[in-house]
Amino acid sequence: MFTINFNDKTTLYEQLYHRIRTDIESGFLGQNEKLPSKRKLAKHLQISISTVQNAYEQLLAEGYIISKEKKGYYVCDEPVFAGRKIIIPPPLVITEPQAESPQFDLKTNAVDTEHFPYSVWSRLMRESMRENPTVLLHSLHPQGNYDLRVEIANYLQAFRDVNITPEQIILGAGIEYIIGLITELLPVAFFAYENPGYMKIRKILESRRMDAVAVPVDNNGLIVEKLAQTGATAVFVTASNHFPTGAVMGVGRRRQLIEWAEQSDERYIIEDDFNSEFRFVLKPIPALQSLDTSEKVIYINSFAQTLAPSLRMAYAVLPETLLQRYREKLMFYSCTVSQFEQLTLKRFLQGGYYERHLGRMKTVYRNRQKIFIDGLSPIIENLILDGQKAGLHLQIKSAKLTECELVKLANDKGVRVYPFSDFYAVPPPETHTVALGFAGCGDDELREVAGRLCAAWE
Amino acid sequence: MFTINFNDKTTLYEQLYHRIRTDIESGFLGQNEKLPSKRKLAKHLQISISTVQNAYEQLLAEGYIISKEKKGYYVCDEPVFAGRKIIIPPPLVITEPQAESPQFDLKTNAVDTEHFPYSVWSRLMRESMRENPTVLLHSLHPQGNYDLRVEIANYLQAFRDVNITPEQIILGAGIEYIIGLITELLPVAFFAYENPGYMKIRKILESRRMDAVAVPVDNNGLIVEKLAQTGATAVFVTASNHFPTGAVMGVGRRRQLIEWAEQSDERYIIEDDFNSEFRFVLKPIPALQSLDTSEKVIYINSFAQTLAPSLRMAYAVLPETLLQRYREKLMFYSCTVSQFEQLTLKRFLQGGYYERHLGRMKTVYRNRQKIFIDGLSPIIENLILDGQKAGLHLQIKSAKLTECELVKLANDKGVRVYPFSDFYAVPPPETHTVALGFAGCGDDELREVAGRLCAAWE
């Protein structure tokens, strides 16, 4: 009936289990058929009773056979893929979509990789590994490590005029996660977002089957009258450095926006303070949150562009009313940021490394921007350059060329630039602007890129 | 008009900016009021013109003043919080809810912290820090590092009979994140979950405003006839080791479940293979996914219990049809797992450390379970013990005592045990069972805990 291969490296009981299982699956052993007793089968195969016992136990556990008291073992009385051919499908070989890569990619979310503080970070990671094992491996607070939140609160107070306590901060694995969490937090979920703007917000809202509406932006930021017409209950804004135009929402418009929110308990403003750290003229524009005396602004930001996108660390700062709601509704979610990295970032902030790193990167990026603008100077007469005051990309607007032409001409020279229509929910009929992220290229590369763009667009 | 403090450490232009801003906010400078010329103010204050220039520029950027060509600078013509008292609210001191902590907490999701491979992990982290900076800091694949996915595919093939390719794997920061992603992935979202079961699934579905229904479980796992009556299009199951009862779904029931899914294109099974690694008798129960020849099973699992909950690493394995959908709809989401830790885990798997660690932890946990059961033996006559075959918790059922009584008596002795009603969507009128997680306690602690429980429940 069965043959056992004593040279096979799988155990004897597993061989026997597999053999009987195959016979059941193939129908060779029919429903309700009696199996030989353990003793009889052991004797027949010249193996121990316990080997047979183990094989039968496994088959019992998986439901292939049943045991009837004082009668013995039987094949189960339900069809077990009988008649169906069990084919293990061959591994799918699915090629992952690869982005075509031009020589230079001026994407807006690139960062420098040269100046990352590798050795400090590495040392602090090692120190974090020596923390109390329970802290390290176990007890993640849903909002994130408390001491890290203390450091973030101090930083926000000092640099963004954001006056809060660590209890209001919730850490999450990236700004997209944080945005998702907010959609679950707010009592009514009809969201507005800036147009043009950061279109991932729209994608997240659509993916989560949320009502969402685009609101136009002028050179003073989101137009509050238009927002008021939509019926939306919450709005995402980049008040201090609008993405992608770089517009600053002035204090009058800010007041208007906060007053819009104050008109209903359900209304909230989500301030995405993306890239406000990198302002190259005078002092940073204060966060909208700093004007909020009525608990209407949720402040969100991340360490993606100031440290590295591959560290998944972002956070939201909730006003008190929403904090209570978070605790009632969402505190069951575990924190999504690795504890190791939270502890490392905590040390990085405590040691003053973050402040120094930011200062250094501001200088690095200011210089890069200058090199890039200098390199583009031969064609600046024909093109309008914008976005110099802040952020890690520039905008180029052409009177003659459309964005498609700008993109194509640059691409022909091996440079990828980004059409402004990418940043629109509904693109205007014709745009003439492209975005050029300069953060990911070194100084020499930027000189090269600028030369190529001059040749492309002259 | 203004006084400048030359000893203040903030820059002169910032002092001037703040002073003018305060005057505008307080109404001291009215709407449309003309400001002194830069030259005049500089002379008056005996500071340089460029200092005044900078202050005016900052006020312009923030919208407090406007510039009229050939006329000079004016306060903006909109009210700027005029008449509103700008009070920076005092920092909220909100105490974070603290769980009361009995001396010993037998929670079901605890893990051992003694045997974590600190030194290997630390070394591999250092090695990861030396990777190519672009790989390290920049280019996260949305599904996660490819080489890590190769390792996970190999592991699943070898240990869980799950026959897949790395292209089908999507990494995420914890099983909750992965569950959320799946709710966005499936075309129709009416979800069923096991009752009793892992109630976080229900919370996630409710938080995401999804339709969800509980389906009862018997000692053969989820009851498929009951599922079919609900109209749900997708179901979460723990087929190989039901949480929290430990029931194994037999092969007949598995076939029934897959056939249920095959009846409609919209139907899917999400197999949460939680804790299947820790089976203490014979060989592991194969994953349900291994029987799926019709692209109906999404396999999900994490490294939370096999490595550490504080490493936020979980994954889903998508059947090919859903993989296409993921690529069209959800690939815009950045991967939520830190790249550093992905690279470290990759090395951990490549070096064979994970397999060894699992083997060691199986022994550790088997011994702990034995110590615990031995310690409980004096009271086992009166109580029914279950859950020994797999997983990191046991169940104790009492004929006489209710779960409330069991919990309270244990608590009086400083031991927290978990009532089974916690695991129900709608708890049965009276349960007599509690769960005892033993993974988080050392051997000596378990002897102590067992002694206390004997005293509590004898």
Side-chain angles (χ1 to χ4, degrees):
Chain A
M1 186 182 174
F2 303 113
T3 55
I4 291 284
N5 178 358
F6 288 90
N7 298 320
D8 193 320
K9 66 180 178 158
T10 55
T11 61
L12 293 181
Y13 97 80
E14 283 181 83
Q15 288 184 47
L16 186 57
Y17 152 83
H18 275 294
R19 181 58 202 269
I20 301 175
R21 180 180 152 177
T22 310
D23 284 349
I24 294 171
E25 286 170 346
S26 67
F28 184 83
L29 284 170
Q31 282 173 48
N32 288 315
E33 193 167 321
K34 193 176 188 309
L35 293 173
S37 75
K38 289 180 276 187
R39 180 175 308 268
K40 207 164 153 187
L41 187 56
K43 199 175 164 196
H44 175 74
L45 294 170
Q46 301 197 306
I47 55 180
S48 74
I49 292 181
S50 70
T51 300
V52 179
Q53 165 88 21
N54 285 343
Y56 280 16
E57 285 293 329
Q58 187 71 27
L59 291 162
L60 270 174
E62 297 184 17
Y64 287 96
I65 64 173
I66 53 171
S67 157
K68 297 185 184 174
E69 214 171 341
K70 291 188 184 154
K71 285 184 162 179
Y73 296 93
Y74 291 79
V75 175
C76 70
D77 51 8
E78 298 176 84
V80 176
F81 295 94
R84 171 192 290 170
K85 242 174 161 175
I86 300 289
I87 302 165
I88 293 180
L92 304 165
V93 181
I94 299 162
T95 320
E96 306 211 332
Q98 299 291 334
E100 357 133 29
S101 39
Q103 220 169 331
F104 298 100
D105 188 347
L106 302 188
K107 58 185 178 183
T108 55
N109 62 350
V111 298
D112 166 78
T113 57
E114 248 175 75
H115 296 82
F116 184 83
Y118 296 99
S119 63
V120 171
W121 193 263
S122 193
R123 175 166 59 79
L124 299 180
M125 285 212 305
R126 286 203 300 281
E127 281 178 33
S128 299
M129 281 296 293
R130 291 194 289 269
E131 285 252 5
N132 176 328
T134 306
V135 171
L136 196 59
L137 301 181
H138 246 177
S139 55
L140 285 167
H141 190 287
Q143 295 181 233
N145 181 283
Y146 187 81
D147 295 340
L148 170 57
R149 286 185 278 140
V150 169
E151 294 301 323
I152 293 173
N154 291 343
Y155 165 77
L156 288 176
Q157 171 83 72
F159 290 88
R160 302 298 300 128
D161 294 333
V162 170
N163 189 27
I164 50 133
T165 65
E167 285 78 6
Q168 291 172 265
I169 298 176
I170 297 166
L171 290 171
I175 204 75
E176 298 161 12
Y177 178 81
I178 290 290
I179 291 169
L181 201 67
I182 289 170
T183 66
E184 295 179 36
L185 177 63
L186 296 188
V188 184
F190 178 14
F191 290 91
Y193 54 89
E194 296 168 328
N195 185 40
Y198 178 58
M199 283 302 122
K200 268 205 185 174
I201 290 174
R202 180 196 186 194
K203 286 184 179 170
I204 294 167
L205 295 170
E206 284 179 355
S207 182
R208 284 173 167 260
R209 303 167 169 93
M210 296 274 160
D211 292 326
V213 62
V215 174
V217 168
D218 63 19
N219 58 10
N220 197 10
L222 181 111
I223 302 170
V224 180
E225 288 89 352
K226 298 279 186 187
L227 169 65
Q229 290 161 14
T230 63
T233 53
V235 59
F236 287 90
V237 289
T238 50
S240 299
N241 181 25
H242 175 256
F243 182 85
T245 68
V248 174
M249 186 182 278
V251 65
R253 184 72 66 85
R254 288 177 181 217
R255 178 193 49 77
Q256 234 190 319
L257 183 59
I258 289 175
E259 283 177 359
W260 166 84
E262 283 169 343
Q263 282 162 31
S264 157
D265 278 355
E266 287 165 354
R267 290 190 185 165
Y268 286 97
I269 300 159
I270 303 118
E271 177 181 25
D272 183 353
D273 205 27
F274 172 80
N275 257 354
S276 60
E277 296 84 359
F278 296 121
R279 189 165 173 88
F280 303 120
V281 288
L282 302 171
K283 65 191 278 303
I285 306 292
L288 172 62
Q289 200 271 2
S290 68
L291 298 176
D292 175 29
T293 54
S294 47
E295 307 265 320
K296 283 298 183 183
V297 177
I298 303 170
Y299 175 97
I300 66 177
N301 206 344
S302 93
F303 294 92
Q305 292 230 307
T306 55
L307 268 171
S310 66
L311 288 171
R312 306 305 297 158
M313 279 195 271
Y315 55 91
V317 178
L318 301 183
E320 197 183 3
T321 45
L322 286 178
L323 187 58
Q324 300 303 346
R325 198 177 155 82
Y326 163 80
R327 286 181 177 163
E328 283 156 27
K329 304 271 179 190
L330 298 180
M331 209 154 176
F332 72 89
Y333 276 121
S334 306
C335 185
T336 45
V337 186
S338 141
Q339 176 79 325
F340 286 147
E341 298 207 335
Q342 289 189 42
L343 295 169
T344 306
L345 182 61
K346 175 194 78 176
R347 288 184 160 77
F348 196 72
L349 285 157
Q350 279 172 341
Y353 299 110
Y354 185 62
E355 213 178 307
R356 259 171 278 163
H357 179 66
L358 265 187
R360 183 156 74 146
M361 293 320 295
K362 214 163 143 176
T363 308
V364 166
Y365 289 139
R366 186 192 281 117
N367 290 342
R368 283 199 185 157
Q369 199 206 56
K370 189 175 179 317
I371 288 167
F372 197 32
I373 293 174
D374 288 349
L376 292 171
S377 59
I379 50 166
I380 286 305
E381 276 176 34
N382 310 319
L383 300 165
I384 300 156
L385 183 75
D386 203 357
Q388 303 96 312
K389 287 185 178 168
L392 303 181
H393 70 272
L394 296 170
Q395 297 101 255
I396 287 277
K397 189 173 179 175
S398 166
K400 288 179 230 152
L401 301 168
T402 64
E403 62 164 27
C404 291
E405 290 166 331
L406 289 166
V407 169
K408 181 164 184 329
L409 290 168
N411 199 60
D412 290 345
K413 300 286 179 189
V415 183
R416 173 178 285 177
V417 301
Y418 289 82
F420 246 52
S421 58
D422 280 5
F423 308 123
Y424 280 87
V426 185
E430 202 173 62
T431 99
H432 294 260
T433 312
V434 291
L436 320 176
F438 56 83
C441 299
D443 298 355
D444 290 340
E445 282 177 315
L446 280 174
R447 287 188 192 95
E448 169 75 24
V449 168
R452 288 172 180 233
L453 291 178
C454 286
W457 295 337
E458 69 179 343
Chain B
M1 186 182 178
F2 302 114
T3 55
I4 291 284
N5 179 357
F6 287 90
N7 298 319
D8 194 321
K9 64 181 180 158
T10 55
T11 62
L12 292 181
Y13 96 80
E14 283 182 83
Q15 288 183 48
L16 186 57
Y17 152 83
H18 274 294
R19 182 58 202 269
I20 302 174
R21 180 179 152 178
T22 309
D23 284 349
I24 295 171
E25 286 170 347
S26 68
F28 184 83
L29 285 169
Q31 281 175 48
N32 288 314
E33 192 166 325
K34 192 175 189 305
L35 293 173
S37 75
K38 288 181 275 187
R39 180 176 308 268
K40 207 164 150 187
L41 186 55
K43 198 175 166 200
H44 175 74
L45 294 171
Q46 303 198 305
I47 55 179
S48 74
I49 292 182
S50 70
T51 300
V52 179
Q53 166 88 20
N54 285 345
Y56 280 15
E57 284 293 330
Q58 187 71 28
L59 290 162
L60 271 172
E62 296 185 17
Y64 286 97
I65 64 173
I66 54 171
S67 157
K68 296 184 185 176
E69 215 170 338
K70 291 187 186 157
K71 286 186 162 179
Y73 296 93
Y74 292 78
V75 175
C76 69
D77 51 7
E78 298 177 84
V80 176
F81 294 95
R84 171 190 289 170
K85 241 175 162 174
I86 300 287
I87 302 164
I88 294 180
L92 303 165
V93 182
I94 299 162
T95 319
E96 307 211 330
Q98 300 292 333
E100 358 133 27
S101 41
Q103 220 169 333
F104 299 100
D105 187 348
L106 302 188
K107 58 185 178 186
T108 55
N109 62 349
V111 299
D112 167 78
T113 57
E114 247 175 75
H115 297 82
F116 184 83
Y118 295 98
S119 62
V120 171
W121 193 264
S122 191
R123 175 165 59 77
L124 299 179
M125 284 210 309
R126 285 201 300 281
E127 282 178 34
S128 300
M129 280 296 293
R130 291 193 289 268
E131 284 253 3
N132 177 328
T134 306
V135 172
L136 197 58
L137 301 181
H138 247 175
S139 56
L140 285 167
H141 190 288
Q143 295 182 234
N145 182 283
Y146 187 80
D147 294 340
L148 171 56
R149 287 184 280 140
V150 169
E151 294 301 323
I152 293 173
N154 291 343
Y155 165 76
L156 289 176
Q157 172 82 73
F159 290 87
R160 303 297 301 128
D161 293 333
V162 169
N163 190 26
I164 51 130
T165 67
E167 286 77 7
Q168 293 171 265
I169 297 176
I170 297 165
L171 290 171
I175 204 75
E176 298 161 14
Y177 178 80
I178 290 290
I179 290 169
L181 201 68
I182 290 169
T183 66
E184 295 179 36
L185 176 65
L186 297 188
V188 184
F190 177 13
F191 290 92
Y193 55 89
E194 296 168 327
N195 186 38
Y198 178 57
M199 282 302 122
K200 268 205 186 173
I201 291 175
R202 181 196 184 193
K203 286 185 179 171
I204 295 168
L205 296 169
E206 284 179 356
S207 181
R208 285 173 165 260
R209 302 167 171 94
M210 296 274 160
D211 293 326
V213 61
V215 174
V217 168
D218 63 19
N219 57 11
N220 197 10
L222 181 111
I223 302 169
V224 180
E225 287 89 351
K226 298 279 185 187
L227 169 65
Q229 290 161 13
T230 62
T233 54
V235 60
F236 288 90
V237 288
T238 50
S240 298
N241 180 24
H242 175 258
F243 181 85
T245 67
V248 173
M249 186 183 277
V251 66
R253 183 73 65 85
R254 289 177 178 218
R255 177 193 50 77
Q256 233 191 318
L257 183 60
I258 289 174
E259 283 176 359
W260 166 84
E262 284 169 347
Q263 283 161 30
S264 157
D265 279 353
E266 289 166 351
R267 290 189 185 165
Y268 286 97
I269 300 158
I270 303 119
E271 178 181 25
D272 183 353
D273 206 27
F274 171 80
N275 257 352
S276 60
E277 296 84 358
F278 296 121
R279 190 167 173 86
F280 304 119
V281 288
L282 302 170
K283 65 192 277 304
I285 306 294
L288 172 62
Q289 200 271 2
S290 68
L291 297 177
D292 175 29
T293 55
S294 46
E295 307 265 321
K296 283 298 182 183
V297 176
I298 304 170
Y299 176 97
I300 66 176
N301 206 344
S302 94
F303 294 92
Q305 293 232 305
T306 55
L307 267 171
S310 66
L311 290 171
R312 306 306 296 159
M313 279 195 272
Y315 54 90
V317 178
L318 300 183
E320 196 182 2
T321 45
L322 286 178
L323 187 57
Q324 300 303 346
R325 199 177 153 82
Y326 163 81
R327 285 180 178 164
E328 284 156 27
K329 304 272 178 189
L330 298 181
M331 211 154 173
F332 72 89
Y333 277 121
S334 305
C335 185
T336 44
V337 186
S338 142
Q339 177 79 323
F340 285 148
E341 298 208 335
Q342 289 189 42
L343 294 169
T344 306
L345 181 61
K346 174 194 79 175
R347 289 183 160 77
F348 196 73
L349 286 157
Q350 278 173 341
Y353 299 109
Y354 184 63
E355 212 178 308
R356 259 171 279 161
H357 179 66
L358 265 187
R360 183 157 74 147
M361 292 320 295
K362 214 162 144 175
T363 309
V364 166
Y365 288 140
R366 187 192 281 117
N367 289 342
R368 282 198 186 158
Q369 199 207 56
K370 190 176 179 313
I371 287 166
F372 197 33
I373 293 174
D374 287 350
L376 292 170
S377 60
I379 51 167
I380 287 304
E381 276 175 34
N382 311 318
L383 300 165
I384 300 155
L385 184 75
D386 204 358
Q388 303 96 313
K389 286 184 179 170
L392 304 182
H393 69 271
L394 295 170
Q395 296 102 256
I396 287 278
K397 188 172 179 177
S398 166
K400 287 180 231 152
L401 300 169
T402 64
E403 61 165 29
C404 292
E405 290 165 330
L406 288 166
V407 169
K408 174 151 191 338
L409 289 168
N411 199 59
D412 291 344
K413 300 286 180 188
V415 182
R416 174 179 284 176
V417 300
Y418 288 82
F420 246 51
S421 57
D422 281 5
F423 309 123
Y424 280 87
V426 184
E430 201 174 65
T431 97
H432 293 261
T433 311
V434 290
L436 319 176
F438 56 84
C441 299
D443 297 356
D444 289 341
E445 282 178 314
L446 280 172
R447 286 187 193 96
E448 170 74 25
V449 168
R452 287 172 182 234
L453 290 177
C454 287
W457 294 337
E458 70 178 344

